[in-house]
């Protein structure tokens, strides 16, 4: 009997470690959306002086180059509220990452200020989608005890993204390559889009779509089903 208890304890310990790794992967991957937000916010400050010098931009055009991203972000956040409900949080993150790659590479290859502003708006769309969807997904994939820490981690990733953008701009400022400054931030977006494929769908969204078994399976995978006892997750409890 003692031997059985030891074996059960070992199995539970292994399951907990596996679940911890799964949760860490989920939180890191979704948190990378915050990194992209920070990168896009920070990178333009280093690139703008070189862009203005090369194209002779006046103050009004400089304002458009900077603020166009926020215009796209506002639209993206509205779109994300519909997307995340219709197709799910995971696919919404994929769309956001894909738009980020298009926007950053397009900005780096822009032939003129109008094209640059257009791609900056696309970048804003991606940021708006990610900044709405990622915290929502993280909240639904974390227990109520850890939810505050997880969302704070997302905000930390935004700050880290700004820092990395400043460091990247500083390194590239010696060559004056503003195109590389704007294009290089596509790299973490590629990493995000590859890792998002491995993310599970949100159990909350699956339940809303009537996929109860799938939702419960992901809860068990992350070992969260015992902790999700609030009324939103009563649906996953066994009768």
């Amino acid at each position: 009997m003692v031997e059985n208890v030891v074996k059960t304890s070992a199995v539970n310990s292994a399951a907990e470690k596996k679940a911890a790794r799964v949760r860490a992967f989920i939180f890191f991957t979704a948190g990378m959306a915050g990194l992209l937000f920070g990168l896009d916010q920070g990178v333009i400050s280093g690139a703008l002086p070189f862009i203005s010098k090369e194209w002779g931009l006046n103050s009004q055009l400089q304002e458009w180059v900077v603020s166009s991203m926020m215009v796209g972000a506002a639209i993206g956040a509205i779109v994300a509220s519909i997307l995340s409900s219709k197709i799910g949080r995971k696919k919404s993150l994929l769309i956001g990452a894909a738009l980020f790659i298009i926007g950053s590479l397009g900005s780096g290859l822009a032939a003129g200020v109008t094209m640059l502003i257009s791609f900056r708006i696309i970048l804003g769309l991606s940021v708006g989608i990610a900044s709405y969807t990622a915290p929502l997904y993280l909240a639904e994939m974390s227990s109520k005890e850890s939810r505050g820490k997880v969302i704070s981690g997302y905000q930390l990733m935004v700050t880290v993204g700004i820092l990395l953008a400043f460091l990247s701009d500083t390194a590239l400022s010696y060559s004056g390559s503003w195109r590389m400054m704007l294009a290089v931030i596509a790299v973490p977006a590629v990493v995000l889009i590859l890792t998002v494929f491995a993310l599970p769908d949100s159990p909350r969204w699956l339940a809303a779509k009537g996929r109860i078994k799938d939702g419960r399976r992901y809860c068990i995978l992350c070992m969260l089903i015992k902790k999700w006892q609030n009324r939103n997750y009563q649906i996953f409890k066994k009768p």
Side-chain angles (χ1 to χ4, degrees):
M1 183 175 180
V2 174
E3 184 179 350
N4 290 336
V5 171
V6 172
K7 287 183 179 179
T8 302
S9 177
V11 170
N12 290 339
S13 177
E16 288 176 2
K17 289 180 180 179
K18 180 180 178 181
R21 289 195 297 269
V22 171
R23 291 197 300 270
F25 175 76
I26 290 171
F27 298 155
F28 173 77
T29 301
M32 281 190 67
L35 183 74
L36 299 185
F37 192 177
L39 285 170
D40 194 38
Q41 280 187 314
V43 73
I44 194 63
S45 62
L48 187 61
F50 298 104
I51 297 172
S52 300
K53 182 179 179 181
E54 182 173 329
W55 289 344
L57 302 184
N58 57 32
S59 59
Q60 186 176 14
L61 285 175
Q62 290 181 39
E63 291 169 2
W64 270 105
V65 169
V66 175
S67 62
S68 55
M69 189 273 285
M70 301 309 296
V71 173
I75 299 171
I78 296 172
V79 171
S81 65
I82 302 171
L83 272 182
S84 62
S85 177
K86 292 289 185 182
I87 65 174
R89 291 52 159 141
K90 177 179 176 178
K91 290 180 180 177
S92 296
L93 285 174
L94 283 171
I95 292 173
L99 287 175
F100 195 93
I101 294 171
I102 294 170
S104 55
L105 292 179
S107 296
L109 297 172
V113 66
T114 303
M115 186 180 294
L116 176 59
I117 291 172
S118 299
F119 279 110
R120 290 278 296 164
I121 291 174
I122 293 175
L123 267 175
L125 286 172
S126 73
V127 166
I129 292 172
S131 62
Y132 178 94
T133 307
L136 177 63
Y137 178 79
L138 288 170
E140 292 178 347
M141 295 301 294
S142 57
S143 65
K144 62 181 180 181
E145 292 86 359
S146 64
R147 194 166 297 142
K149 292 186 291 185
V150 171
I151 301 302
S152 296
Y154 171 83
Q155 296 299 326
L156 176 62
M157 291 293 277
V158 175
T159 307
V160 171
I162 295 173
L163 173 62
L164 291 177
F166 287 161
L167 294 176
S168 174
D169 285 351
T170 301
L172 294 170
S173 63
Y174 299 103
S175 64
S177 179
W178 63 266
R179 294 184 182 277
M180 184 61 70
M181 292 179 188
L182 298 181
V184 74
I185 61 174
V187 175
V190 173
V191 175
L192 175 61
I193 205 169
L194 292 175
T195 52
V196 165
F197 280 109
L199 289 179
D201 281 306
S202 162
R204 182 71 181 86
W205 179 78
L206 290 170
K209 296 300 179 181
R211 297 168 59 183
I212 307 301
K213 289 184 179 179
D214 289 336
R216 181 179 290 165
R217 178 163 56 87
Y218 286 134
C219 283
I220 294 172
L221 174 67
C222 298
M223 293 191 73
L224 293 173
I225 196 167
K226 293 181 180 179
K227 296 182 179 180
W228 275 341
Q229 298 297 328
N230 59 55
R231 61 184 180 182
N232 290 332
Y233 290 93
Q234 291 296 319
I235 194 169
F236 292 119
K237 294 178 67 178
K238 292 183 179 180

